[in-house]
Amino acid sequence: MTSPSTPTQPRPVDVVLLGAALLAWMISMGSPVFATGAYSPPLPGGGVLLLGLLFGWAANGWAVYANPFFLFAAWRLCIGKVPRKSIVLMLLFAATLPLLNGIPGMKGGHGVHAVSWGWGAFMWLWSLVLLTAATAARRGIIGARGALLLGLLMVLSFVAAVSPHARQWRVAGHEDRALLLPLGMIYTTSDLCPIPLTWPLPSDAPEGEPLVLDIDAQVLQQPGAGPALALPGGFTGAHADGSAWIAYSDREDSLMIRQAAQPGTLLLQIKAQGDGAVLRLLKGAPRRLLYEQRVASVSSGRGRHRSLCPLMARAPNVGLHSEYGWALLRAMGQNLPFARGTPLARAEAARQRCPVGSADIDGIARLRSLDGREVILGGRMDRMAGFCSASYVVLAGDLTRPGDAGLRQVVYVLDRKSLRPLARFEGQRTCPAAICAPGPEPVVSGVRLEGASAVIETSRGEYVAAFRTRP
């Protein structure tokens, strides 16, 4: 009797099944495996293999370790031997595929769970089945008739895979097609959003206007009742205090101004509706509807996580990046840019101290007083020194000297009457010798505004920052 390790003469059926297995495996390496529902292209099988061999254990991606045993078993068949243990281990590792909870290389798969499966996964599974069949054929367990039956099953499985893809593609909206069914995906385990996104006209107030928030508390918290609604532009439930707010953003830094609400002020109304919500933007007295968008609760396909749609991303554990949020910002005219593209009209020196308060006003986190107004300064702005002139409020960044390296001073200029941001100035990366020389830390004493530049006066000399023209 021939032992399994003894070379045997391959039959045509063995060769066909082995060749089909290797072809299917190579196709899977170049095809997308799964999608996470985020704006990033799905990784092909080769990328998942490289990441998985190194980090698959961190995301329960044990299935990737079936590949070395696949290649070893294929090599054994190529040299005329019959693999045994390698085939068993290959199948055992492949059986752990449902345990995968993220992209290999990101511990725990935080925010990158697989919600859609592609042709890479389909072809990979078939390569394992074909290699197992080739091994069975080499051992004489199946013959040409068994191989033909397997081919028929492959055709039926292809039809079974195409059918749900066609059905889901037909009912999916534009966002779901782009995120959950991108090119190369067969089907998604996530719910498709039943509500289309309504894209609004831009705000009719290009310079922005204050906004009052009226929000059902359960929509933001949803304790055990469903997903919480994420608000755009830095707004939270704490801002629904009856005051009017206006928000500005500058990449790393942000500014929110609180003021008394006036009759007819722009109103964002968010009301619970089932396990979702309805968002309405109203204005004037009496109120007229400017924009309305419903959001619904959908499953991510993992059973444990639900989120609201229409969405830009359905990434659990890292919050929501909401397409309805971008639509709201457009309709509200909020999150306005700092830089206006025009140098300051008046040259003034700001040396009067306008310090930023340190206590949270009304218990709202980081709500401070600045020149008699109430503001929330985000990013680095809450650590800046404040100075006032007749027309401007100036915020100058801390003069830190990290190892005598380059110093990039930032100056923000606000209109003193409205606190609307007017300009941003940036210093050169080369730190002046007088400031960066060893000795006491420099203290900012004032800022001279000269239209297209700002001269920062310190206890150790002056420092020039230039006007930033790009938004």
Side-chain angles (χ1 to χ4, degrees), residues 185-269:
M185 291 297 108
I186 302 176
Y187 77 101
T188 178
T189 59
S190 177
D191 288 347
L192 298 174
C193 187
I195 299 173
L197 176 72
T198 303
W199 194 247
L201 295 173
S203 169
D204 57 4
E207 294 297 317
E209 58 183 308
L211 172 76
V212 176
L213 287 85
D214 176 17
I215 308 173
D216 283 349
Q218 66 267 31
V219 174
L220 298 179
Q221 298 174 359
Q222 295 282 6
L229 179 76
L231 293 177
F235 291 107
T236 68
H239 300 121
D241 62 346
S243 303
W245 299 82
I246 186 166
Y248 299 88
S249 176
D250 189 51
R251 298 183 183 177
E252 308 97 340
D253 305 321
S254 62
L255 167 69
M256 298 182 73
I257 305 169
R258 184 171 82 159
Q259 53 192 264
Q262 303 298 323
T265 300
L266 192 64
L267 172 69
L268 174 61
Q269 187 182 74

Side-chain angles (χ1 to χ4, degrees), residues 156-181:
L156 293 176
S157 67
F158 176 80
V159 174
V162 170
S163 297
H165 174 82
R167 184 176 65 253
Q168 289 185 336
W169 183 267
R170 186 171 58 253
V171 300
H174 173 74
E175 294 81 17
D176 282 342
R177 288 180 179 180
L179 299 174
L180 301 177
L181 295 171

Side-chain angles (χ1 to χ4, degrees), residues 291-453:
Y291 176 70
E292 181 176 275
Q293 173 69 54
R294 288 193 305 123
V295 292
S297 172
V298 292
S299 169
S300 67
R302 291 223 151 223
R304 302 188 301 270
H305 178 80
R306 297 187 68 84
S307 57
L308 295 170
C309 76
L311 298 180
M312 281 182 63
R314 301 186 180 191
N317 306 326
V318 295
L320 302 175
H321 303 283
S322 326
E323 188 125 33
Y324 61 77
W326 288 112
L328 269 181
L329 287 177
R330 177 182 171 90
M332 296 185 304
Q334 295 283 332
N335 232 26
L336 300 163
F338 274 57
R340 297 294 172 182
T342 304
L344 297 175
R346 293 177 299 277
E348 293 182 5
R351 297 190 180 97
Q352 175 191 343
R353 283 283 182 175
C354 289
V356 179
S358 58
D360 291 344
I361 300 173
D362 295 337
I364 299 178
R366 296 187 294 112
L367 182 60
R368 307 282 195 261
S369 63
L370 175 63
D371 194 34
R373 268 69 56 84
E374 296 174 349
V375 300
I376 295 178
L377 301 175
R380 299 163 297 180
M381 294 183 71
D382 63 346
R383 301 189 300 271
M384 291 183 176
F387 299 92
C388 289
S389 67
S391 306
Y392 306 120
V393 174
V394 179
L395 296 172
D398 295 332
L399 285 169
T400 56
R401 298 179 297 166
D404 293 346
L407 177 65
R408 193 176 188 85
Q409 178 70 339
V410 177
V411 174
Y412 286 113
V413 180
L414 316 178
D415 178 74
R416 189 166 186 182
K417 182 178 180 180
S418 64
L419 292 187
R420 178 172 58 89
L422 298 176
R424 167 175 168 164
F425 297 87
E426 291 181 354
Q428 68 269 24
R429 293 188 179 277
T430 303
C431 185
I435 294 178
C436 285
E441 292 289 335
V443 177
V444 179
S445 57
V447 179
R448 295 199 313 274
L449 301 172
E450 300 178 351
S453 64

